[in-house]
Each structure stands twice: as C-alpha cells, then as structure tokens.
mmCIF file of all heavy atoms in Angstrom:
data_model
loop_
_atom_site.group_PDB
_atom_site.id
_atom_site.type_symbol
_atom_site.label_atom_id
_atom_site.label_comp_id
_atom_site.label_asym_id
_atom_site.label_seq_id
_atom_site.Cartn_x
_atom_site.Cartn_y
_atom_site.Cartn_z
ATOM 1 N N ILE A 1 3.363 -1.394 0.851
ATOM 2 C CA ILE A 1 3.630 -2.331 -0.240
ATOM 3 C C ILE A 1 3.702 -3.717 0.366
ATOM 4 O O ILE A 1 4.476 -3.975 1.261
ATOM 5 C CB ILE A 1 4.947 -2.005 -0.955
ATOM 6 C CG1 ILE A 1 4.913 -0.584 -1.500
ATOM 7 C CG2 ILE A 1 5.217 -2.986 -2.067
ATOM 8 C CD1 ILE A 1 6.239 -0.124 -2.062
ATOM 9 N N THR A 2 2.880 -4.604 -0.140
ATOM 10 C CA THR A 2 2.907 -5.962 0.388
ATOM 11 C C THR A 2 3.678 -6.850 -0.553
ATOM 12 O O THR A 2 3.583 -6.727 -1.765
ATOM 13 C CB THR A 2 1.482 -6.524 0.560
ATOM 14 O OG1 THR A 2 0.846 -6.516 -0.712
ATOM 15 C CG2 THR A 2 0.682 -5.692 1.548
ATOM 16 N N GLY A 3 4.426 -7.766 0.005
ATOM 17 C CA GLY A 3 5.213 -8.672 -0.818
ATOM 18 C C GLY A 3 4.710 -10.093 -0.715
ATOM 19 O O GLY A 3 5.202 -10.978 -1.388
ATOM 20 N N ASP A 4 3.713 -10.346 0.163
ATOM 21 C CA ASP A 4 3.241 -11.715 0.302
ATOM 22 C C ASP A 4 2.083 -11.975 -0.643
ATOM 23 O O ASP A 4 1.404 -11.080 -1.081
ATOM 24 C CB ASP A 4 2.850 -12.024 1.759
ATOM 25 C CG ASP A 4 2.274 -10.840 2.479
ATOM 26 O OD1 ASP A 4 2.576 -9.711 2.077
ATOM 27 O OD2 ASP A 4 1.516 -11.045 3.430
ATOM 28 N N GLY A 5 1.892 -13.225 -0.974
ATOM 29 C CA GLY A 5 0.842 -13.611 -1.897
ATOM 30 C C GLY A 5 1.336 -13.621 -3.322
ATOM 31 O O GLY A 5 2.462 -13.271 -3.619
ATOM 32 N N ALA A 6 0.437 -14.011 -4.222
ATOM 33 C CA ALA A 6 0.781 -14.105 -5.636
ATOM 34 C C ALA A 6 0.594 -12.749 -6.317
ATOM 35 O O ALA A 6 -0.038 -11.850 -5.786
ATOM 36 C CB ALA A 6 -0.108 -15.149 -6.299
ATOM 37 N N ALA A 7 1.157 -12.627 -7.501
ATOM 38 C CA ALA A 7 1.006 -11.408 -8.288
ATOM 39 C C ALA A 7 -0.437 -11.272 -8.751
ATOM 40 O O ALA A 7 -1.167 -12.255 -8.880
ATOM 41 C CB ALA A 7 1.944 -11.452 -9.486
ATOM 42 N N GLU A 8 -0.856 -10.039 -9.003
ATOM 43 C CA GLU A 8 -2.205 -9.793 -9.498
ATOM 44 C C GLU A 8 -2.366 -10.378 -10.900
ATOM 45 O O GLU A 8 -1.385 -10.622 -11.598
ATOM 46 C CB GLU A 8 -2.459 -8.287 -9.550
ATOM 47 C CG GLU A 8 -2.459 -7.619 -8.201
ATOM 48 C CD GLU A 8 -2.684 -6.114 -8.322
ATOM 49 O OE1 GLU A 8 -3.187 -5.666 -9.366
ATOM 50 O OE2 GLU A 8 -2.361 -5.409 -7.364
ATOM 51 N N ASP A 9 -3.640 -10.586 -11.318
ATOM 52 C CA ASP A 9 -3.896 -11.082 -12.675
ATOM 53 C C ASP A 9 -3.326 -10.115 -13.698
ATOM 54 O O ASP A 9 -3.424 -8.902 -13.550
ATOM 55 C CB ASP A 9 -5.402 -11.238 -12.904
ATOM 56 C CG ASP A 9 -5.967 -12.453 -12.204
ATOM 57 O OD1 ASP A 9 -5.180 -13.352 -11.842
ATOM 58 O OD2 ASP A 9 -7.204 -12.513 -12.020
ATOM 59 N N GLY A 10 -2.741 -10.650 -14.749
ATOM 60 C CA GLY A 10 -2.161 -9.838 -15.811
ATOM 61 C C GLY A 10 -0.767 -9.336 -15.506
ATOM 62 O O GLY A 10 -0.210 -8.566 -16.274
ATOM 63 N N THR A 11 -0.211 -9.762 -14.358
ATOM 64 C CA THR A 11 1.145 -9.344 -14.003
ATOM 65 C C THR A 11 1.959 -10.559 -13.585
ATOM 66 O O THR A 11 1.408 -11.635 -13.349
ATOM 67 C CB THR A 11 1.156 -8.335 -12.837
ATOM 68 O OG1 THR A 11 0.670 -8.975 -11.661
ATOM 69 C CG2 THR A 11 0.318 -7.113 -13.153
ATOM 70 N N HIS A 12 3.232 -10.377 -13.503
ATOM 71 C CA HIS A 12 4.124 -11.398 -12.959
ATOM 72 C C HIS A 12 5.242 -10.683 -12.216
ATOM 73 O O HIS A 12 5.467 -9.491 -12.403
ATOM 74 C CB HIS A 12 4.674 -12.323 -14.054
ATOM 75 C CG HIS A 12 5.558 -11.641 -15.045
ATOM 76 N ND1 HIS A 12 5.081 -10.826 -16.046
ATOM 77 C CD2 HIS A 12 6.900 -11.665 -15.207
ATOM 78 C CE1 HIS A 12 6.081 -10.383 -16.777
ATOM 79 N NE2 HIS A 12 7.211 -10.863 -16.282
ATOM 80 N N ARG A 13 5.905 -11.413 -11.364
ATOM 81 C CA ARG A 13 6.987 -10.830 -10.578
ATOM 82 C C ARG A 13 8.329 -11.248 -11.154
ATOM 83 O O ARG A 13 8.501 -12.384 -11.577
ATOM 84 C CB ARG A 13 6.879 -11.261 -9.124
ATOM 85 C CG ARG A 13 5.679 -10.614 -8.460
ATOM 86 C CD ARG A 13 5.625 -10.903 -7.004
ATOM 87 N NE ARG A 13 4.503 -10.168 -6.423
ATOM 88 C CZ ARG A 13 4.133 -10.274 -5.182
ATOM 89 N NH1 ARG A 13 4.784 -11.077 -4.357
ATOM 90 N NH2 ARG A 13 3.119 -9.578 -4.736
ATOM 91 N N VAL A 14 9.242 -10.281 -11.167
ATOM 92 C CA VAL A 14 10.598 -10.545 -11.634
ATOM 93 C C VAL A 14 11.577 -10.119 -10.555
ATOM 94 O O VAL A 14 11.367 -9.136 -9.843
ATOM 95 C CB VAL A 14 10.917 -9.818 -12.963
ATOM 96 C CG1 VAL A 14 10.097 -10.364 -14.106
ATOM 97 C CG2 VAL A 14 10.737 -8.326 -12.837
ATOM 98 N N ARG A 15 12.635 -10.885 -10.441
ATOM 99 C CA ARG A 15 13.707 -10.603 -9.487
ATOM 100 C C ARG A 15 14.869 -10.031 -10.302
ATOM 101 O O ARG A 15 15.413 -10.680 -11.182
ATOM 102 C CB ARG A 15 14.109 -11.889 -8.780
ATOM 103 C CG ARG A 15 15.006 -11.676 -7.600
ATOM 104 C CD ARG A 15 15.120 -12.928 -6.756
ATOM 105 N NE ARG A 15 13.870 -13.314 -6.123
ATOM 106 C CZ ARG A 15 13.429 -12.826 -4.954
ATOM 107 N NH1 ARG A 15 14.148 -11.930 -4.325
ATOM 108 N NH2 ARG A 15 12.304 -13.227 -4.438
ATOM 109 N N VAL A 16 15.226 -8.778 -10.004
ATOM 110 C CA VAL A 16 16.305 -8.085 -10.708
ATOM 111 C C VAL A 16 17.563 -8.180 -9.854
ATOM 112 O O VAL A 16 17.560 -7.786 -8.687
ATOM 113 C CB VAL A 16 15.934 -6.602 -10.962
ATOM 114 C CG1 VAL A 16 17.091 -5.866 -11.608
ATOM 115 C CG2 VAL A 16 14.682 -6.510 -11.816
ATOM 116 N N LEU A 17 18.627 -8.734 -10.429
ATOM 117 C CA LEU A 17 19.913 -8.856 -9.741
ATOM 118 C C LEU A 17 20.738 -7.619 -10.069
ATOM 119 O O LEU A 17 21.257 -7.472 -11.179
ATOM 120 C CB LEU A 17 20.639 -10.124 -10.185
ATOM 121 C CG LEU A 17 19.819 -11.419 -10.111
ATOM 122 C CD1 LEU A 17 20.623 -12.584 -10.664
ATOM 123 C CD2 LEU A 17 19.350 -11.688 -8.705
ATOM 124 N N LEU A 18 20.817 -6.714 -9.102
ATOM 125 C CA LEU A 18 21.468 -5.421 -9.300
ATOM 126 C C LEU A 18 22.803 -5.395 -8.566
ATOM 127 O O LEU A 18 22.895 -5.820 -7.418
ATOM 128 C CB LEU A 18 20.558 -4.299 -8.771
ATOM 129 C CG LEU A 18 21.101 -2.877 -8.848
ATOM 130 C CD1 LEU A 18 21.265 -2.436 -10.300
ATOM 131 C CD2 LEU A 18 20.160 -1.925 -8.105
ATOM 132 N N GLU A 19 23.830 -4.892 -9.253
ATOM 133 C CA GLU A 19 25.158 -4.738 -8.656
ATOM 134 C C GLU A 19 25.550 -3.269 -8.724
ATOM 135 O O GLU A 19 25.453 -2.634 -9.775
ATOM 136 C CB GLU A 19 26.179 -5.579 -9.421
ATOM 137 C CG GLU A 19 27.577 -5.481 -8.882
ATOM 138 C CD GLU A 19 28.561 -6.326 -9.678
ATOM 139 O OE1 GLU A 19 28.135 -7.181 -10.465
ATOM 140 O OE2 GLU A 19 29.774 -6.104 -9.506
ATOM 141 N N LEU A 20 25.989 -2.729 -7.587
ATOM 142 C CA LEU A 20 26.450 -1.347 -7.501
ATOM 143 C C LEU A 20 27.903 -1.338 -7.061
ATOM 144 O O LEU A 20 28.297 -2.116 -6.188
ATOM 145 C CB LEU A 20 25.617 -0.561 -6.490
ATOM 146 C CG LEU A 20 24.141 -0.426 -6.824
ATOM 147 C CD1 LEU A 20 23.346 -0.070 -5.597
ATOM 148 C CD2 LEU A 20 23.943 0.616 -7.895
ATOM 149 N N THR A 21 28.702 -0.455 -7.655
ATOM 150 C CA THR A 21 30.111 -0.310 -7.288
ATOM 151 C C THR A 21 30.395 1.157 -7.031
ATOM 152 O O THR A 21 30.095 2.007 -7.879
ATOM 153 C CB THR A 21 31.029 -0.823 -8.416
ATOM 154 O OG1 THR A 21 30.671 -2.172 -8.723
ATOM 155 C CG2 THR A 21 32.490 -0.759 -8.010
ATOM 156 N N ALA A 22 30.949 1.461 -5.859
ATOM 157 C CA ALA A 22 31.289 2.837 -5.504
ATOM 158 C C ALA A 22 32.675 3.178 -6.046
ATOM 159 O O ALA A 22 33.653 2.529 -5.710
ATOM 160 C CB ALA A 22 31.260 3.005 -3.989
ATOM 161 N N LEU A 23 32.756 4.199 -6.892
ATOM 162 C CA LEU A 23 34.027 4.613 -7.488
ATOM 163 C C LEU A 23 34.508 5.960 -6.954
ATOM 164 O O LEU A 23 35.700 6.211 -6.904
ATOM 165 C CB LEU A 23 33.896 4.698 -9.011
ATOM 166 C CG LEU A 23 33.555 3.405 -9.742
ATOM 167 C CD1 LEU A 23 33.382 3.669 -11.222
ATOM 168 C CD2 LEU A 23 34.622 2.360 -9.511
ATOM 169 N N GLU A 24 33.598 6.814 -6.590
ATOM 170 C CA GLU A 24 33.934 8.164 -6.137
ATOM 171 C C GLU A 24 34.252 8.164 -4.647
ATOM 172 O O GLU A 24 33.802 7.284 -3.907
ATOM 173 C CB GLU A 24 32.762 9.110 -6.419
ATOM 174 C CG GLU A 24 32.357 9.182 -7.879
ATOM 175 C CD GLU A 24 33.410 9.825 -8.757
ATOM 176 O OE1 GLU A 24 34.104 10.752 -8.291
ATOM 177 O OE2 GLU A 24 33.555 9.393 -9.906
ATOM 178 N N PRO A 25 35.009 9.160 -4.169
ATOM 179 C CA PRO A 25 35.340 9.241 -2.743
ATOM 180 C C PRO A 25 34.103 9.325 -1.837
ATOM 181 O O PRO A 25 34.135 8.828 -0.710
ATOM 182 C CB PRO A 25 36.176 10.521 -2.636
ATOM 183 C CG PRO A 25 36.722 10.740 -4.001
ATOM 184 C CD PRO A 25 35.715 10.184 -4.952
ATOM 185 N N ASP A 26 33.017 9.927 -2.325
ATOM 186 C CA ASP A 26 31.791 10.034 -1.524
ATOM 187 C C ASP A 26 31.018 8.724 -1.463
ATOM 188 O O ASP A 26 30.094 8.592 -0.663
ATOM 189 C CB ASP A 26 30.886 11.138 -2.075
ATOM 190 C CG ASP A 26 31.491 12.520 -1.905
ATOM 191 O OD1 ASP A 26 32.382 12.674 -1.041
ATOM 192 O OD2 ASP A 26 31.077 13.431 -2.647
ATOM 193 N N GLY A 27 31.341 7.775 -2.312
ATOM 194 C CA GLY A 27 30.663 6.486 -2.320
ATOM 195 C C GLY A 27 29.294 6.537 -2.973
ATOM 196 O O GLY A 27 28.951 7.489 -3.662
ATOM 197 N N VAL A 28 28.512 5.486 -2.751
ATOM 198 C CA VAL A 28 27.170 5.356 -3.305
ATOM 199 C C VAL A 28 26.203 5.118 -2.153
ATOM 200 O O VAL A 28 26.432 4.247 -1.317
ATOM 201 C CB VAL A 28 27.083 4.172 -4.307
ATOM 202 C CG1 VAL A 28 25.648 3.937 -4.752
ATOM 203 C CG2 VAL A 28 27.975 4.413 -5.502
ATOM 204 N N ASP A 29 25.131 5.897 -2.134
ATOM 205 C CA ASP A 29 24.061 5.684 -1.153
ATOM 206 C C ASP A 29 22.951 4.910 -1.845
ATOM 207 O O ASP A 29 22.256 5.461 -2.708
ATOM 208 C CB ASP A 29 23.532 7.013 -0.619
ATOM 209 C CG ASP A 29 24.532 7.712 0.280
ATOM 210 O OD1 ASP A 29 25.235 6.998 1.024
ATOM 211 O OD2 ASP A 29 24.618 8.951 0.220
ATOM 212 N N PHE A 30 22.782 3.648 -1.490
ATOM 213 C CA PHE A 30 21.754 2.806 -2.092
ATOM 214 C C PHE A 30 20.511 2.797 -1.214
ATOM 215 O O PHE A 30 20.588 2.589 -0.009
ATOM 216 C CB PHE A 30 22.247 1.371 -2.279
ATOM 217 C CG PHE A 30 21.160 0.428 -2.700
ATOM 218 C CD1 PHE A 30 20.659 0.464 -3.995
ATOM 219 C CD2 PHE A 30 20.603 -0.475 -1.806
ATOM 220 C CE1 PHE A 30 19.643 -0.389 -4.390
ATOM 221 C CE2 PHE A 30 19.592 -1.323 -2.195
ATOM 222 C CZ PHE A 30 19.107 -1.287 -3.482
ATOM 223 N N ASP A 31 19.372 3.026 -1.852
ATOM 224 C CA ASP A 31 18.068 2.903 -1.209
ATOM 225 C C ASP A 31 17.149 2.231 -2.231
ATOM 226 O O ASP A 31 16.947 2.764 -3.327
ATOM 227 C CB ASP A 31 17.529 4.267 -0.808
ATOM 228 C CG ASP A 31 16.245 4.195 0.000
ATOM 229 O OD1 ASP A 31 15.686 3.080 0.152
ATOM 230 O OD2 ASP A 31 15.792 5.245 0.481
ATOM 231 N N ALA A 32 16.599 1.077 -1.900
ATOM 232 C CA ALA A 32 15.754 0.331 -2.837
ATOM 233 C C ALA A 32 14.545 1.143 -3.291
ATOM 234 O O ALA A 32 14.046 0.962 -4.402
ATOM 235 C CB ALA A 32 15.293 -0.976 -2.197
ATOM 236 N N ALA A 33 14.078 2.059 -2.448
ATOM 237 C CA ALA A 33 12.925 2.885 -2.813
ATOM 238 C C ALA A 33 13.239 3.856 -3.950
ATOM 239 O O ALA A 33 12.323 4.390 -4.574
ATOM 240 C CB ALA A 33 12.431 3.647 -1.586
ATOM 241 N N ASP A 34 14.515 4.094 -4.246
ATOM 242 C CA ASP A 34 14.912 4.984 -5.342
ATOM 243 C C ASP A 34 14.844 4.308 -6.711
ATOM 244 O O ASP A 34 15.003 4.977 -7.729
ATOM 245 C CB ASP A 34 16.346 5.485 -5.133
ATOM 246 C CG ASP A 34 16.477 6.417 -3.947
ATOM 247 O OD1 ASP A 34 15.446 6.963 -3.497
ATOM 248 O OD2 ASP A 34 17.604 6.581 -3.459
ATOM 249 N N TRP A 35 14.626 3.008 -6.744
ATOM 250 C CA TRP A 35 14.652 2.255 -7.996
ATOM 251 C C TRP A 35 13.245 1.813 -8.363
ATOM 252 O O TRP A 35 12.471 1.389 -7.508
ATOM 253 C CB TRP A 35 15.569 1.034 -7.870
ATOM 254 C CG TRP A 35 16.995 1.429 -7.657
ATOM 255 C CD1 TRP A 35 17.600 1.766 -6.484
ATOM 256 C CD2 TRP A 35 17.989 1.548 -8.670
ATOM 257 N NE1 TRP A 35 18.908 2.082 -6.701
ATOM 258 C CE2 TRP A 35 19.180 1.958 -8.027
ATOM 259 C CE3 TRP A 35 17.989 1.341 -10.040
ATOM 260 C CZ2 TRP A 35 20.358 2.173 -8.726
ATOM 261 C CZ3 TRP A 35 19.176 1.547 -10.728
ATOM 262 C CH2 TRP A 35 20.337 1.959 -10.082
ATOM 263 N N GLU A 36 12.917 1.919 -9.662
ATOM 264 C CA GLU A 36 11.622 1.462 -10.152
ATOM 265 C C GLU A 36 11.760 0.959 -11.582
ATOM 266 O O GLU A 36 12.706 1.295 -12.281
ATOM 267 C CB GLU A 36 10.575 2.578 -10.062
ATOM 268 C CG GLU A 36 10.840 3.770 -10.950
ATOM 269 C CD GLU A 36 9.811 4.874 -10.768
ATOM 270 O OE1 GLU A 36 9.044 4.849 -9.792
ATOM 271 O OE2 GLU A 36 9.782 5.765 -11.613
ATOM 272 N N VAL A 37 10.813 0.126 -11.979
ATOM 273 C CA VAL A 37 10.788 -0.388 -13.349
ATOM 274 C C VAL A 37 9.790 0.442 -14.132
ATOM 275 O O VAL A 37 8.616 0.541 -13.761
ATOM 276 C CB VAL A 37 10.399 -1.889 -13.375
ATOM 277 C CG1 VAL A 37 10.166 -2.349 -14.808
ATOM 278 C CG2 VAL A 37 11.479 -2.723 -12.726
ATOM 279 N N GLU A 38 10.265 1.051 -15.214
ATOM 280 C CA GLU A 38 9.396 1.825 -16.097
ATOM 281 C C GLU A 38 9.142 1.026 -17.354
ATOM 282 O O GLU A 38 9.997 0.287 -17.821
ATOM 283 C CB GLU A 38 10.038 3.165 -16.430
ATOM 284 C CG GLU A 38 10.112 4.077 -15.250
ATOM 285 C CD GLU A 38 10.279 5.526 -15.652
ATOM 286 O OE1 GLU A 38 10.575 5.809 -16.827
ATOM 287 O OE2 GLU A 38 10.128 6.380 -14.769
ATOM 288 N N ARG A 39 7.941 1.185 -17.907
ATOM 289 C CA ARG A 39 7.595 0.453 -19.124
ATOM 290 C C ARG A 39 7.302 1.422 -20.260
ATOM 291 O O ARG A 39 6.908 2.562 -20.036
ATOM 292 C CB ARG A 39 6.453 -0.499 -18.885
ATOM 293 C CG ARG A 39 5.282 0.051 -18.182
ATOM 294 C CD ARG A 39 4.337 -1.096 -17.747
ATOM 295 N NE ARG A 39 3.259 -0.598 -16.959
ATOM 296 C CZ ARG A 39 3.262 -0.519 -15.630
ATOM 297 N NH1 ARG A 39 4.307 -0.922 -14.957
ATOM 298 N NH2 ARG A 39 2.233 -0.047 -14.990
ATOM 299 N N LEU A 40 7.512 0.931 -21.465
ATOM 300 C CA LEU A 40 7.281 1.703 -22.668
ATOM 301 C C LEU A 40 5.834 2.165 -22.695
ATOM 302 O O LEU A 40 4.929 1.378 -22.443
ATOM 303 C CB LEU A 40 7.583 0.836 -23.899
ATOM 304 C CG LEU A 40 7.483 1.500 -25.258
ATOM 305 C CD1 LEU A 40 8.562 2.559 -25.395
ATOM 306 C CD2 LEU A 40 7.637 0.472 -26.353
ATOM 307 N N GLY A 41 5.605 3.421 -22.968
ATOM 308 C CA GLY A 41 4.259 3.950 -23.025
ATOM 309 C C GLY A 41 3.785 4.506 -21.690
ATOM 310 O O GLY A 41 2.657 4.950 -21.561
ATOM 311 N N GLY A 42 4.629 4.474 -20.684
ATOM 312 C CA GLY A 42 4.270 5.045 -19.389
ATOM 313 C C GLY A 42 3.966 3.979 -18.361
ATOM 314 O O GLY A 42 3.758 2.815 -18.669
ATOM 315 N N GLY A 43 3.936 4.392 -17.142
ATOM 316 C CA GLY A 43 3.676 3.487 -16.042
ATOM 317 C C GLY A 43 4.962 2.983 -15.432
ATOM 318 O O GLY A 43 5.993 2.885 -16.099
ATOM 319 N N SER A 44 4.909 2.737 -14.129
ATOM 320 C CA SER A 44 6.098 2.249 -13.442
ATOM 321 C C SER A 44 5.686 1.349 -12.289
ATOM 322 O O SER A 44 4.536 1.366 -11.850
ATOM 323 C CB SER A 44 6.944 3.415 -12.932
ATOM 324 O OG SER A 44 6.210 4.175 -11.996
ATOM 325 N N SER A 45 6.631 0.562 -11.818
ATOM 326 C CA SER A 45 6.420 -0.352 -10.702
ATOM 327 C C SER A 45 7.528 -0.140 -9.682
ATOM 328 O O SER A 45 8.707 -0.153 -10.033
ATOM 329 C CB SER A 45 6.454 -1.804 -11.176
ATOM 330 O OG SER A 45 5.491 -2.030 -12.163
ATOM 331 N N ARG A 46 7.147 0.026 -8.453
ATOM 332 C CA ARG A 46 8.106 0.156 -7.360
ATOM 333 C C ARG A 46 8.494 -1.239 -6.865
ATOM 334 O O ARG A 46 7.762 -2.203 -7.058
ATOM 335 C CB ARG A 46 7.490 0.941 -6.217
ATOM 336 C CG ARG A 46 7.324 2.406 -6.546
ATOM 337 C CD ARG A 46 8.249 3.154 -5.668
ATOM 338 N NE ARG A 46 8.268 4.569 -5.770
ATOM 339 C CZ ARG A 46 9.306 5.239 -6.226
ATOM 340 N NH1 ARG A 46 10.329 4.605 -6.724
ATOM 341 N NH2 ARG A 46 9.332 6.531 -6.205
ATOM 342 N N ALA A 47 9.625 -1.328 -6.189
ATOM 343 C CA ALA A 47 10.084 -2.608 -5.658
ATOM 344 C C ALA A 47 9.123 -3.105 -4.579
ATOM 345 O O ALA A 47 8.705 -2.360 -3.705
ATOM 346 C CB ALA A 47 11.482 -2.458 -5.080
ATOM 347 N N VAL A 48 8.776 -4.383 -4.673
ATOM 348 C CA VAL A 48 7.932 -5.038 -3.680
ATOM 349 C C VAL A 48 8.798 -5.548 -2.536
ATOM 350 O O VAL A 48 8.386 -5.577 -1.387
ATOM 351 C CB VAL A 48 7.149 -6.200 -4.338
ATOM 352 C CG1 VAL A 48 6.363 -6.979 -3.319
ATOM 353 C CG2 VAL A 48 6.251 -5.672 -5.436
#
C-alpha cells in the first residue's frame, strides 16, 4: 500500500480521527490493518 502521491481520479483521501479506550482487564489490541472503510452497496478501502 503506497501512501505517497495524490489520490486516484474519482477518489479523495480522508483522515479519520479514531479514539480507543481500554475498559476490560485484557485491554485493547489496536492494529490499523484491522480497520477499513466500507461503503453502501459494497466495496471497502484499507488504511493507506
């Protein structure tokens, strides 16, 4: 996954400000690869 350069035609890039809080004794294991943006009608985008 490349993050350099401009977005492809017909797309734009958005920066999502995500906050996670660990409440359970086991905590939270965060991995950016586990998160993706899904769109109505199907299709998804992984984090760049």
